[in-house]
Amino acid sequence: MNTAVRTSRRGWKSYVIGAATVTALLASAACSPNGGDGPDDPKPTARPSSPGTPSTSATPGATGTPKTGDTPPAEPTPGATGTGGVGDGAVALCAPGDVSITSSTEDDKGQGVRHILLTLTNTGKKTCKVYRYPLIQLGNAQRLVPEIKESAPTQGEPFSTIAPGKETYAALLLNGPMDEAPAKTMTVQLQDRELGSKLGEPVKVAFPGVDTVYYNDFAKVTHWMTASGLALRFIMSS
């Protein structure tokens, strides 16, 4: 009888000890950083989202796509300006009826006229511009007087801007050391925007103090310039 009781008590103690051990092991597993995995087991990876399932995580600082019209318009870029600081599109071309053209000479009396200064005055009420150089025909010449290419502007648009009452200048060399032909008339025509194109009708310009001048293949003319001295510099040494 005593033996049976003693054996039963020992078995009960073993059961209690075994249950306590299992409980301790379960508690240790619950405290493991691997969520119950052993130290040698790989760490769990995030389960991939199902196709088509939107992510709920937001990127810091990200904003929604702006609606059309939310973006402010860019600041307009100031237009480029031509000679004289006036935009090419803002100033009209000088019409022949809005200008007057006269001639003068730097040659001494009795030596004949070889160097002519053309002065174009804006007689209109608005600022206008003239392109490149005047198209000049002397007498019955078959060709127009060619330009002095060195007188062309090196920067900006090839035009001269003239305010009302102001002037611009071109210098004309008539001849050189070879056979000459007489000319009793001179016509001057303004150029349009395209090189060599004509604007309006030619204007007849009187010679300075003489009825007849003599010209040959050395004749040439400068581009329009705002300074008369600069224009004359291109021809006075010839």
Side-chain angles (χ1 to χ4, degrees), residues 12-13 18 32 55 57 60-61 76 80 87 93-94 103 108 117 137-138 141 155 166 173 197 216 218 225 234:
W12 177 81
K13 289 181 179 179
S32 173
S55 175
S57 60
L93 275 66
C94 295
S103 68
D108 296 332
L117 179 68
Q137 183 177 15
L138 296 170
Q155 295 181 347
K166 299 300 181 179
L173 177 67
S197 60
N216 56 25
F218 281 86
M225 300 181 182
F234 286 93

Side-chain angles (χ1 to χ4, degrees), residues 8-211:
S8 176
R9 288 178 179 176
R10 184 180 300 112
W12 177 81
K13 289 181 179 179
S14 298
Y15 176 80
V16 172
I17 292 172
T21 301
V22 171
T23 301
L25 290 173
L26 290 174
S28 175
C31 296
S32 173
N34 293 330
D37 296 335
D40 295 332
D41 292 336
K43 296 183 183 294
T45 57
R47 178 181 294 178
S49 303
S50 300
T53 303
S55 175
T56 57
S57 60
T59 303
T63 59
T65 303
K67 297 179 180 180
T68 303
D70 289 348
T71 304
E75 291 294 329
T77 302
T81 58
T83 304
V86 182
D88 181 71
V91 181
L93 275 66
C94 295
D98 293 331
V99 301
S100 65
I101 303 175
T102 59
S103 68
S104 59
T105 183
E106 296 296 316
D107 297 313
D108 296 332
K109 291 182 178 180
Q111 293 185 351
V113 175
R114 293 187 63 235
H115 307 88
I116 293 179
L117 179 68
L118 296 174
T119 301
L120 182 147
T121 305
N122 181 358
T123 58
K125 297 181 179 180
K126 295 182 179 180
T127 298
C128 63
K129 60 189 176 185
V130 288
Y131 268 90
R132 301 179 183 85
Y133 54 93
L135 302 176
I136 299 176
Q137 183 177 15
L138 296 170
N140 297 321
Q142 298 300 310
R143 68 185 185 106
L144 300 175
V145 176
E147 66 173 311
I148 299 176
K149 294 182 178 180
E150 294 78 10
S151 67
T154 56
Q155 295 181 347
E157 292 289 336
F159 60 80
S160 180
T161 303
I162 317 127
K166 299 300 181 179
E167 301 169 341
T168 190
Y169 308 91
L172 169 65
L173 177 67
L174 290 175
N175 54 47
M178 61 180 296
D179 294 339
E180 301 167 338
K184 293 184 177 295
T185 59
M186 174 172 63
T187 59
V188 177
Q189 193 164 25
L190 304 179
Q191 289 197 51
D192 209 329
R193 289 180 175 84
E194 295 297 326
L195 177 62
S197 60
K198 299 177 181 180
L199 178 65
E201 296 297 322
V203 178
K204 186 175 181 179
V205 179
F207 293 124
V210 295
D211 295 329

